[in-house]
Amino acid sequence: MSTVIEQAVEARLVAAAPRMASIPATLRYDVHDPFAVRMAFPAAATLEGVDVCWTFARELLTSGLTESVGSGDVRVRPYGYDRTVLEFHAVEGTAVVHVRTDDLRQFLTGTTKLVPSGDEGLHVDVDRDLAELLRDAC
C-alpha cells in the first residue's frame, strides 16, 4: 500500500503577475507527515520563476471547504457551490487561487483512507523526527 497520495489539480489564479487564467498544481499527502498537505506550483506560475511548495494543515483544507479558516500564511474558504479559495500570503505578496471543491474532496477522501482524521498521532515517529532534528546539531 502506498504511503503517499499525489493529485494534480487545476488552480485558477485570481491575483498574480504575470496574469495566468489557470495553472497546474499538485496536492501531496505523505503518511510520514500525517498532519500536513502540500500544494506545489510550477515555476511558470510564480513571480520568482521557481517551483513553489506550500505546506499547511490537512485540517485547514478540510475545514476550509465549508467555512472561512486560517489567519496566517494560508487561508481557505468556500466560494460559491463548486469552488474553494486558497490564499497564500508571503513577504513578496499574496496569491489567490480557486480550486474545484470536488477535486479537493477527492484528494481529502484519499488522505483519510490512508490516515483517518484523529489518527494522525499514531503515524508520527517521534524518535525518527528527533534524530533527524539532532543529526546536524553536532
Side-chain angles (χ1 to χ4, degrees):
M1 180 172 172
S2 177
T3 62
V4 175
I5 292 176
E6 283 193 352
Q7 180 177 321
V9 294
E10 184 177 297
R12 184 170 162 256
L13 202 51
V14 177
R19 184 161 173 80
M20 299 175 74
S22 65
I23 55 172
T26 304
L27 290 166
R28 186 173 199 275
Y29 181 79
D30 187 334
V31 171
H32 297 107
D33 192 3
F35 291 100
V37 296
R38 288 168 178 72
M39 189 167 197
F41 297 93
T46 68
L47 294 174
E48 297 82 18
V50 296
D51 293 343
V52 172
C53 183
W54 287 84
T55 302
F56 50 95
R58 176 172 69 162
E59 181 59 32
L60 183 76
L61 186 58
T62 301
S63 296
L65 298 181
T66 58
E67 63 181 320
S68 183
V69 293
S71 59
D73 295 343
V74 180
R75 300 170 192 176
V76 185
R77 68 179 180 276
Y79 182 80
Y81 67 93
D82 68 343
R83 299 278 177 185
T84 300
V85 175
L86 290 95
E87 292 182 17
F88 300 98
H89 296 261
V91 173
E92 300 82 8
T94 300
V96 179
V97 298
H98 290 191
V99 179
R100 285 188 208 113
T101 303
D102 284 344
D103 291 345
L104 297 176
R105 279 194 185 106
Q106 179 184 358
F107 172 74
L108 289 167
T109 297
T111 71
T112 303
K113 287 179 183 175
L114 285 180
V115 178
S117 295
D119 286 355
E120 294 90 350
L122 301 174
H123 295 270
V124 175
D125 186 345
V126 176
D127 291 334
R128 182 197 59 166
D129 293 344
L130 185 57
E132 187 175 314
L133 283 172
L134 296 175
R135 180 183 63 221
D136 297 325
C138 295

